[in-house]
Amino acid sequence: MIGAPAGPDGIAVLNESFGLSDALVFETSPLGGPVARLTAGSSTATVALQGAQVLGWRHAGVERLWLSPISRLGTGKAVRGGIPVCWPWFGPHPSDPQKPAHGFVRTRAWTVVGSSRGDRGIALSFATDCGPADQALFPHLASLRLTVILDEALSLQLETRNTGPSPFSLTQALHTYFRVSDIEGARIEGLAGRRYIDKLVGDARMTQVGTIAIGQEVDRIYLGDTSTVTLTDSPADRHRLQITSQGSGSAIVWNPWFEKTLRLGDMGGQQAFRHMLCIETANAGDDVVMLKPGGSHILAARYGLA
Ligand code: TA6
């Protein structure tokens, strides 16, 4: 296993060990840390070793993910945008507000553990463990592996294995920031009739009626069958993005709108909320994963043009 590279030597070792000619290249990102650049056909993706976080995905000539223009790697804070990995809890810690929101693996260096090229695309795998040093945060032992696959789509598979002697419960998310031309033109289909927890109304339980349009701050955990969701950029948009999930019983829809954008302070502009929309494949809310010793669970998402 190769840890986070220390400068050019580390990048050279990664390319020697896992590079795949021009299809998979490791380099130092302008954001200030090591990244992998994947190329498959006309698509490209960029993944940081920090958090095993996808930072960008360009498909059919269009950048599909939103990334704050003031994002930086190596600051100790999660990068705002792309696909942060939230684990082993989603949102604030259920009982200890001192613990970091969305868990503690999105800011750490993951280890590259494998790469492969198939006839249609590229796969790159990262790993990290929840070990003795993490027990104050999460008193269990676990191994994580995130595999990113770039072909005619972008797929992520997050596998958790309980490597300790005791069972534990887990909530998690692939916290994906999609780029939209203008939030008020975006539409989300596939969640009509689903119950959701409205985080902005005291966790009130509501039911989605029809297609989702966004005209204010939205922070909802949809429950039940959320396995196929479609994002349309605008009514005139021909490119409908389809999100298919596995191992997930919940999906979060989030847009901070204006006031929360100001409070967050790292969105890169007061109107940044107009160009992003989070649709997150998760196990969150009532959707909790229980893992026995030796058990494992895969949370997977695939993004492609419908
Ligand atoms: O997924 C929605 C959410 O839980 C929001 O409540 C907001 O906190 C967002 O995640 C971003 O969280 P972060 O810790 O990355 O600022």
Side-chain angles (χ1 to χ4, degrees), residues 78-80 84 86 90-92 100-102 106 173 175 177 199-200 217-221 252-256 260 264 266 278 280:
V79 168
R80 177 74 62 197
C86 303
F90 175 81
H102 291 319
R106 57 178 178 162
H175 193 297
Y177 288 73
K199 307 295 286 176
L200 302 177
E217 182 181 357
V218 168
D219 195 349
R220 303 172 181 170
I221 302 176
I252 291 89
V253 174
W254 177 60
N255 183 281
K260 181 139 189 187
L264 288 170
D266 60 0
C278 282
E280 306 158 40

